[in-house]
Short mmCIF file of all heavy atoms in Angstrom, two decimals:
data_model
loop_
_atom_site.label_atom_id
_atom_site.label_comp_id
_atom_site.label_asym_id
_atom_site.label_seq_id
_atom_site.Cartn_x
_atom_site.Cartn_y
_atom_site.Cartn_z
N SER A 1 123.57 128.05 248.49
CA SER A 1 124.79 128.05 249.29
C SER A 1 126.02 127.96 248.37
O SER A 1 125.96 127.42 247.27
CB SER A 1 124.78 126.86 250.26
OG SER A 1 124.52 125.65 249.57
N TYR A 2 127.11 128.53 248.85
CA TYR A 2 128.39 128.56 248.13
C TYR A 2 128.25 129.22 246.75
O TYR A 2 128.87 128.78 245.78
CB TYR A 2 128.98 127.15 247.97
CG TYR A 2 129.12 126.42 249.27
CD1 TYR A 2 128.21 125.43 249.65
CD2 TYR A 2 130.16 126.72 250.15
CE1 TYR A 2 128.34 124.75 250.85
CE2 TYR A 2 130.29 126.05 251.35
CZ TYR A 2 129.39 125.06 251.70
OH TYR A 2 129.52 124.41 252.89
N SER A 3 127.44 130.24 246.66
CA SER A 3 127.20 130.91 245.38
C SER A 3 127.40 132.42 245.53
O SER A 3 126.44 133.16 245.75
CB SER A 3 125.79 130.61 244.86
OG SER A 3 125.61 129.24 244.61
N PRO A 4 128.64 132.89 245.43
CA PRO A 4 128.87 134.34 245.51
C PRO A 4 128.22 135.06 244.34
O PRO A 4 128.18 134.53 243.22
CB PRO A 4 130.39 134.46 245.47
CG PRO A 4 130.85 133.22 244.76
CD PRO A 4 129.87 132.15 245.16
N GLN A 5 127.71 136.24 244.58
CA GLN A 5 127.06 136.99 243.51
C GLN A 5 128.06 137.73 242.63
O GLN A 5 127.68 138.21 241.56
CB GLN A 5 126.03 137.96 244.10
CG GLN A 5 124.86 137.25 244.76
CD GLN A 5 123.77 138.21 245.21
OE1 GLN A 5 124.03 139.37 245.49
NE2 GLN A 5 122.54 137.72 245.29
N ALA A 6 129.28 137.84 243.09
CA ALA A 6 130.30 138.53 242.28
C ALA A 6 131.67 137.91 242.51
O ALA A 6 132.06 137.67 243.66
CB ALA A 6 130.34 140.01 242.60
N ILE A 7 132.36 137.62 241.42
CA ILE A 7 133.76 137.21 241.46
C ILE A 7 134.50 138.09 240.46
O ILE A 7 134.16 138.10 239.27
CB ILE A 7 133.94 135.72 241.09
CG1 ILE A 7 133.16 134.82 242.05
CG2 ILE A 7 135.42 135.34 241.10
CD1 ILE A 7 133.21 133.35 241.67
N LEU A 8 135.47 138.85 240.95
CA LEU A 8 136.20 139.79 240.10
C LEU A 8 137.68 139.47 240.17
O LEU A 8 138.20 139.09 241.23
CB LEU A 8 135.96 141.23 240.56
CG LEU A 8 134.51 141.67 240.78
CD1 LEU A 8 134.47 143.08 241.33
CD2 LEU A 8 133.70 141.55 239.49
N GLY A 9 138.36 139.62 239.05
CA GLY A 9 139.79 139.36 239.02
C GLY A 9 140.51 140.32 238.10
O GLY A 9 139.94 140.81 237.12
N ALA A 10 141.76 140.60 238.42
CA ALA A 10 142.58 141.46 237.58
C ALA A 10 144.02 140.98 237.63
O ALA A 10 144.48 140.47 238.66
CB ALA A 10 142.50 142.91 238.03
N GLU A 11 144.71 141.11 236.52
CA GLU A 11 146.11 140.69 236.44
C GLU A 11 146.91 141.75 235.68
O GLU A 11 146.54 142.14 234.57
CB GLU A 11 146.23 139.34 235.74
CG GLU A 11 147.64 138.79 235.69
CD GLU A 11 147.70 137.38 235.13
OE1 GLU A 11 146.65 136.87 234.66
OE2 GLU A 11 148.79 136.78 235.14
N LEU A 12 147.98 142.24 236.29
CA LEU A 12 148.89 143.18 235.66
C LEU A 12 150.20 142.45 235.36
O LEU A 12 150.81 141.87 236.27
CB LEU A 12 149.16 144.37 236.58
CG LEU A 12 147.94 145.13 237.11
CD1 LEU A 12 148.38 146.23 238.06
CD2 LEU A 12 147.12 145.70 235.96
N ILE A 13 150.62 142.46 234.11
CA ILE A 13 151.81 141.72 233.69
C ILE A 13 152.84 142.69 233.12
O ILE A 13 152.54 143.47 232.21
CB ILE A 13 151.45 140.65 232.64
CG1 ILE A 13 150.36 139.71 233.18
CG2 ILE A 13 152.68 139.85 232.23
CD1 ILE A 13 149.80 138.77 232.15
N PHE A 14 154.04 142.65 233.66
CA PHE A 14 155.12 143.53 233.22
C PHE A 14 156.25 142.70 232.62
O PHE A 14 156.70 141.72 233.21
CB PHE A 14 155.66 144.35 234.40
CG PHE A 14 154.62 145.19 235.09
CD1 PHE A 14 153.87 144.67 236.13
CD2 PHE A 14 154.39 146.50 234.69
CE1 PHE A 14 152.92 145.44 236.78
CE2 PHE A 14 153.43 147.28 235.32
CZ PHE A 14 152.69 146.74 236.37
N LYS A 15 156.72 143.10 231.44
CA LYS A 15 157.82 142.42 230.77
C LYS A 15 158.83 143.46 230.28
O LYS A 15 159.19 143.48 229.11
CB LYS A 15 157.29 141.59 229.59
CG LYS A 15 156.35 140.46 229.99
CD LYS A 15 155.88 139.68 228.78
CE LYS A 15 154.95 138.55 229.17
NZ LYS A 15 154.46 137.77 227.98
N ALA A 16 159.28 144.32 231.19
CA ALA A 16 160.20 145.40 230.83
C ALA A 16 161.61 144.90 230.59
O ALA A 16 162.41 145.56 229.92
CB ALA A 16 160.20 146.47 231.92
N VAL A 17 161.96 143.74 231.16
CA VAL A 17 163.29 143.16 230.99
C VAL A 17 163.16 141.86 230.20
O VAL A 17 162.24 141.07 230.44
CB VAL A 17 163.94 142.89 232.36
CG1 VAL A 17 165.32 142.24 232.18
CG2 VAL A 17 164.06 144.17 233.16
N LYS A 18 164.05 141.64 229.27
CA LYS A 18 163.99 140.46 228.42
C LYS A 18 163.99 139.19 229.25
O LYS A 18 164.79 139.04 230.19
CB LYS A 18 165.18 140.46 227.46
CG LYS A 18 165.16 139.32 226.46
CD LYS A 18 166.35 139.39 225.52
CE LYS A 18 166.33 138.23 224.52
NZ LYS A 18 167.50 138.29 223.60
N ASN A 19 163.06 138.29 228.92
CA ASN A 19 162.93 136.97 229.55
C ASN A 19 162.41 137.02 230.99
O ASN A 19 162.28 135.99 231.63
CB ASN A 19 164.24 136.19 229.53
CG ASN A 19 164.75 135.93 228.13
OD1 ASN A 19 164.00 135.96 227.16
ND2 ASN A 19 166.05 135.68 228.00
N LEU A 20 162.14 138.22 231.49
CA LEU A 20 161.66 138.36 232.86
C LEU A 20 160.21 138.83 232.85
O LEU A 20 159.86 139.78 232.15
CB LEU A 20 162.51 139.36 233.63
CG LEU A 20 162.08 139.65 235.09
CD1 LEU A 20 162.28 138.42 235.95
CD2 LEU A 20 162.86 140.83 235.65
N GLU A 21 159.36 138.16 233.63
CA GLU A 21 157.95 138.53 233.72
C GLU A 21 157.56 138.75 235.17
O GLU A 21 157.82 137.90 236.03
CB GLU A 21 157.06 137.44 233.12
CG GLU A 21 155.57 137.74 233.21
CD GLU A 21 154.72 136.61 232.67
OE1 GLU A 21 154.58 136.51 231.44
OE2 GLU A 21 154.22 135.80 233.49
N LEU A 22 156.94 139.88 235.44
CA LEU A 22 156.41 140.19 236.76
C LEU A 22 154.90 140.33 236.64
O LEU A 22 154.40 140.96 235.70
CB LEU A 22 157.01 141.49 237.30
CG LEU A 22 158.54 141.57 237.42
CD1 LEU A 22 158.94 142.95 237.88
CD2 LEU A 22 159.06 140.52 238.37
N ALA A 23 154.18 139.76 237.58
CA ALA A 23 152.72 139.83 237.51
C ALA A 23 152.13 140.00 238.90
O ALA A 23 152.61 139.41 239.88
CB ALA A 23 152.15 138.58 236.85
N ALA A 24 151.08 140.81 238.98
CA ALA A 24 150.30 140.98 240.20
C ALA A 24 148.88 140.54 239.91
O ALA A 24 148.28 140.98 238.92
CB ALA A 24 150.33 142.44 240.68
N ILE A 25 148.35 139.64 240.73
CA ILE A 25 147.03 139.05 240.49
C ILE A 25 146.14 139.30 241.70
O ILE A 25 146.51 138.94 242.83
CB ILE A 25 147.12 137.54 240.21
CG1 ILE A 25 148.12 137.26 239.08
CG2 ILE A 25 145.76 136.96 239.89
CD1 ILE A 25 149.44 136.72 239.54
N THR A 26 145.00 139.92 241.49
CA THR A 26 144.06 140.21 242.57
C THR A 26 142.71 139.56 242.28
O THR A 26 142.25 139.57 241.13
CB THR A 26 143.87 141.73 242.74
OG1 THR A 26 145.10 142.31 243.16
CG2 THR A 26 142.81 142.03 243.80
N LYS A 27 142.11 139.00 243.32
CA LYS A 27 140.81 138.34 243.17
C LYS A 27 139.89 138.79 244.31
O LYS A 27 140.30 138.84 245.48
CB LYS A 27 140.97 136.82 243.21
CG LYS A 27 139.68 136.04 243.06
CD LYS A 27 139.93 134.54 243.10
CE LYS A 27 138.65 133.75 242.92
NZ LYS A 27 138.91 132.28 242.98
N TYR A 28 138.65 139.12 243.94
CA TYR A 28 137.64 139.49 244.92
C TYR A 28 136.47 138.51 244.81
O TYR A 28 136.00 138.20 243.70
CB TYR A 28 137.13 140.91 244.68
CG TYR A 28 135.86 141.23 245.45
CD1 TYR A 28 135.91 141.62 246.78
CD2 TYR A 28 134.61 141.13 244.84
CE1 TYR A 28 134.76 141.90 247.50
CE2 TYR A 28 133.44 141.41 245.54
CZ TYR A 28 133.52 141.80 246.86
OH TYR A 28 132.37 142.06 247.57
N VAL A 29 135.99 138.02 245.95
CA VAL A 29 134.83 137.13 245.99
C VAL A 29 133.84 137.69 247.00
O VAL A 29 134.20 137.96 248.15
CB VAL A 29 135.24 135.70 246.40
CG1 VAL A 29 134.01 134.78 246.46
CG2 VAL A 29 136.28 135.13 245.43
N SER A 30 132.61 137.90 246.57
CA SER A 30 131.59 138.46 247.47
C SER A 30 131.14 137.39 248.49
O SER A 30 131.53 136.23 248.41
CB SER A 30 130.40 138.96 246.67
OG SER A 30 129.74 137.89 246.01
N LYS A 31 130.31 137.80 249.42
CA LYS A 31 129.90 136.89 250.50
C LYS A 31 129.14 135.68 249.95
O LYS A 31 128.50 135.74 248.89
CB LYS A 31 129.05 137.64 251.52
CG LYS A 31 127.65 137.99 251.02
CD LYS A 31 126.84 138.65 252.13
CE LYS A 31 125.43 139.00 251.66
NZ LYS A 31 124.63 139.65 252.70
N GLN A 32 129.23 134.59 250.71
CA GLN A 32 128.53 133.35 250.35
C GLN A 32 127.86 132.80 251.61
O GLN A 32 128.41 132.90 252.70
CB GLN A 32 129.51 132.30 249.83
CG GLN A 32 130.39 132.76 248.69
CD GLN A 32 131.53 131.79 248.44
OE1 GLN A 32 131.31 130.62 248.10
NE2 GLN A 32 132.75 132.25 248.61
N TYR A 33 126.70 132.21 251.42
CA TYR A 33 126.02 131.59 252.55
C TYR A 33 126.42 130.12 252.65
O TYR A 33 126.61 129.43 251.64
CB TYR A 33 124.51 131.72 252.40
CG TYR A 33 124.04 133.16 252.54
CD1 TYR A 33 123.71 133.91 251.42
CD2 TYR A 33 123.95 133.76 253.79
CE1 TYR A 33 123.30 135.23 251.54
CE2 TYR A 33 123.54 135.07 253.93
CZ TYR A 33 123.23 135.80 252.80
OH TYR A 33 122.83 137.10 252.92
N LEU A 34 126.53 129.64 253.89
CA LEU A 34 126.96 128.26 254.13
C LEU A 34 125.80 127.27 254.07
O LEU A 34 126.04 126.06 254.04
CB LEU A 34 127.66 128.15 255.48
CG LEU A 34 129.05 128.79 255.56
CD1 LEU A 34 129.59 128.67 256.98
CD2 LEU A 34 130.00 128.14 254.57
N ASP A 35 124.57 127.75 254.09
CA ASP A 35 123.44 126.85 253.94
C ASP A 35 122.35 127.55 253.15
O ASP A 35 122.54 128.67 252.65
CB ASP A 35 122.94 126.32 255.29
CG ASP A 35 122.39 127.42 256.19
OD1 ASP A 35 122.15 128.55 255.70
OD2 ASP A 35 122.19 127.16 257.39
N LEU A 36 121.20 126.93 253.05
CA LEU A 36 120.13 127.44 252.20
C LEU A 36 119.16 128.36 252.93
O LEU A 36 118.16 128.77 252.36
CB LEU A 36 119.36 126.26 251.59
CG LEU A 36 120.15 125.38 250.62
CD1 LEU A 36 119.34 124.14 250.25
CD2 LEU A 36 120.53 126.16 249.37
N THR A 37 119.47 128.73 254.18
CA THR A 37 118.54 129.57 254.93
C THR A 37 118.85 131.06 254.75
O THR A 37 118.09 131.90 255.21
CB THR A 37 118.60 129.24 256.43
OG1 THR A 37 119.90 129.56 256.94
CG2 THR A 37 118.29 127.77 256.67
N GLN A 38 119.98 131.38 254.12
CA GLN A 38 120.41 132.77 253.91
C GLN A 38 120.49 133.51 255.25
O GLN A 38 120.15 134.68 255.36
CB GLN A 38 119.47 133.49 252.94
CG GLN A 38 120.09 134.73 252.28
CD GLN A 38 119.30 135.19 251.08
OE1 GLN A 38 119.02 134.42 250.17
NE2 GLN A 38 118.95 136.46 251.05
N ASN A 39 120.99 132.81 256.25
CA ASN A 39 121.15 133.38 257.58
C ASN A 39 122.50 134.08 257.66
O ASN A 39 123.54 133.50 257.33
CB ASN A 39 121.06 132.26 258.63
CG ASN A 39 120.97 132.80 260.04
OD1 ASN A 39 121.75 133.65 260.45
ND2 ASN A 39 120.01 132.28 260.80
N GLU A 40 122.50 135.36 258.10
CA GLU A 40 123.73 136.14 258.15
C GLU A 40 124.76 135.59 259.13
O GLU A 40 125.94 135.92 259.05
CB GLU A 40 123.42 137.60 258.49
CG GLU A 40 122.66 138.35 257.40
CD GLU A 40 123.52 138.54 256.15
OE1 GLU A 40 124.72 138.84 256.29
OE2 GLU A 40 122.98 138.38 255.04
N SER A 41 124.33 134.77 260.08
CA SER A 41 125.26 134.20 261.04
C SER A 41 125.96 132.96 260.49
O SER A 41 126.87 132.43 261.14
CB SER A 41 124.53 133.85 262.34
OG SER A 41 123.61 132.78 262.13
N ARG A 42 125.54 132.50 259.32
CA ARG A 42 126.16 131.33 258.71
C ARG A 42 126.56 131.68 257.27
O ARG A 42 125.89 131.31 256.31
CB ARG A 42 125.20 130.13 258.73
CG ARG A 42 124.85 129.68 260.13
CD ARG A 42 124.10 128.37 260.15
NE ARG A 42 122.75 128.48 259.65
CZ ARG A 42 121.69 128.83 260.39
NH1 ARG A 42 121.86 129.14 261.66
NH2 ARG A 42 120.49 128.89 259.87
N LYS A 43 127.64 132.41 257.16
CA LYS A 43 128.08 132.86 255.85
C LYS A 43 129.59 132.99 255.81
O LYS A 43 130.27 133.04 256.85
CB LYS A 43 127.44 134.20 255.48
CG LYS A 43 127.96 135.36 256.31
CD LYS A 43 127.38 136.69 255.86
CE LYS A 43 127.97 137.84 256.70
NZ LYS A 43 127.45 139.15 256.27
N LEU A 44 130.14 133.05 254.60
CA LEU A 44 131.53 133.39 254.37
C LEU A 44 131.57 134.86 253.98
O LEU A 44 130.90 135.27 253.03
CB LEU A 44 132.12 132.53 253.24
CG LEU A 44 132.24 131.03 253.50
CD1 LEU A 44 132.55 130.30 252.20
CD2 LEU A 44 133.31 130.75 254.54
N ASP A 45 132.35 135.64 254.70
CA ASP A 45 132.44 137.06 254.38
C ASP A 45 133.16 137.25 253.05
O ASP A 45 133.96 136.42 252.61
CB ASP A 45 133.21 137.80 255.47
CG ASP A 45 132.42 137.91 256.76
OD1 ASP A 45 131.17 137.99 256.68
OD2 ASP A 45 133.03 137.89 257.84
N ALA A 46 132.87 138.38 252.40
CA ALA A 46 133.59 138.73 251.17
C ALA A 46 135.08 138.89 251.48
O ALA A 46 135.46 139.26 252.59
CB ALA A 46 133.02 140.02 250.60
#
């Protein structure tokens, strides 16, 4: 339980202007089961 099989992340950082930083951060987490029975009705969706 609470063990996603995939966690993916990406960060884009822009510093085109002096002293200014822009960043976009994306995170993906695959589905997780809420208990040890691996029942599809008791899970966290991706």
